[in-house]
Amino acid sequence: MPEVLTNPPNGRPALVLNADFRPLSYYPLSLWPWQDVVKAVFLDRVDIIAEYDTVVRSPSFEMRLPSVIALREFVRQDRSPAFTRFNVFLRDGFQCAYCGAPNELTFDHVVPRSRGGRTSWTNIVAACSPCNLKKGGRMPVDAGMVPHRKPVRPTNYQLQEIGRRFPPNHLHETWMDYLYWDVELEA
C-alpha cells in the first residue's frame, strides 16, 4: 500500500536520466525536486522509469511520486565545464596537488600572479592551506613543491568520470540500476 502524504514530500527527489538512460550528471548527481518532476511529467517532457512508494494528491488527481525519470529529448553534454573552485577540486580529486591531503582545500596559482601567472585551468591547482602557505608567491621549483599532476582543462566527460568516485550520501534503491551500470559485476 503506497504511503499517502498529507504534507509536502520533501526529501524525495528524482534521479534525472538523459534520453540515453545515463544520469545527466554524476557529480553533483542530477536530481530534481519533486515539484519540478511532477511539472515535467504533466508537460510530457519526461518518462517515468521508477516510482517511490508515495502518493501525492490534489482534489482531482493522484499519482505516485517518480523516483527515476528520463528526458524525452537528448541533452548534449559537449560544452566546456565551468571554471569554478568546485570543478578544480573535482578535477584534482579533492586532494592537494602538492601533498595529497584532502583537508583545508583552497586553490593555488602554480605560477604566482605576481610572476604573471593567470587564473586559468592550466595554472590553478587544489592545495591544502599548509602547502599553499609554504609555497607562497614562489615558483614551484624555487619552493621545492611541484604539483603531482600538470593542471589541465578537463572535459565534462573527465569530470563526470572523476565524480563517480565520490557518491552522494543518499542513494535511493531505485536509482542504483542507473548509476552504476558499468561497474564490474561480482561472480
Side-chain angles (χ1 to χ4, degrees):
M1 177 98 174
E3 174 188 7
V4 178
L5 296 179
T6 55
N7 294 321
N10 297 326
R12 291 200 174 68
L15 174 65
V16 183
L17 306 176
N18 211 335
D20 64 356
F21 285 77
R22 293 183 187 185
L24 279 178
S25 171
Y26 281 98
Y27 209 83
L29 192 58
S30 54
L31 301 175
W32 285 0
W34 71 271
Q35 300 94 324
D36 292 346
V37 173
V38 170
K39 180 179 178 183
V41 168
F42 273 103
L43 293 174
D44 215 22
R45 293 183 180 156
V46 298
D47 290 318
I48 298 172
I49 308 302
E51 299 170 323
Y52 287 109
D53 195 26
T54 304
V55 172
V56 289
R57 291 187 173 140
S58 75
S60 61
F61 181 76
E62 173 180 305
M63 80 179 279
R64 287 176 67 150
L65 270 182
S67 62
V68 180
I69 57 173
L71 300 177
R72 291 215 167 151
E73 303 225 357
F74 186 78
V75 176
R76 294 186 58 85
Q77 303 282 332
D78 55 359
R79 68 186 188 287
S80 295
F83 179 60
T84 64
R85 180 183 302 257
F86 179 84
N87 282 344
V88 168
F89 292 168
L90 181 59
R91 177 201 64 191
D92 294 346
F94 295 96
Q95 294 180 333
C96 175
Y98 301 110
C99 73
N103 303 325
E104 298 182 58
L105 289 180
T106 182
F107 66 89
D108 179 56
H109 290 80
V110 177
V111 175
R113 290 180 11 200
S114 62
R115 306 260 182 115
R118 306 197 50 135
T119 303
S120 67
W121 280 112
T122 57
N123 192 47
I124 297 287
V125 294
C128 67
S129 291
C131 284
N132 202 348
L133 285 171
K134 181 179 173 187
K135 180 177 168 286
R138 296 180 292 170
M139 295 295 285
V141 174
D142 297 338
M145 299 175 65
V146 179
H148 294 133
R149 292 173 307 279
K150 181 179 177 186
V152 296
R153 177 187 201 119
T155 65
N156 271 321
Y157 177 79
Q158 289 168 327
L159 288 182
Q160 293 292 344
E161 287 302 303
I162 295 166
R164 295 175 66 150
R165 297 190 305 230
F166 303 98
N169 294 334
H170 169 74
L171 296 174
H172 192 263
E173 65 266 10
T174 59
W175 304 351
M176 299 311 280
D177 287 337
Y178 304 98
L179 292 178
Y180 301 106
W181 54 268
D182 60 349
V183 174
E184 188 172 327
L185 300 175
E186 295 178 21

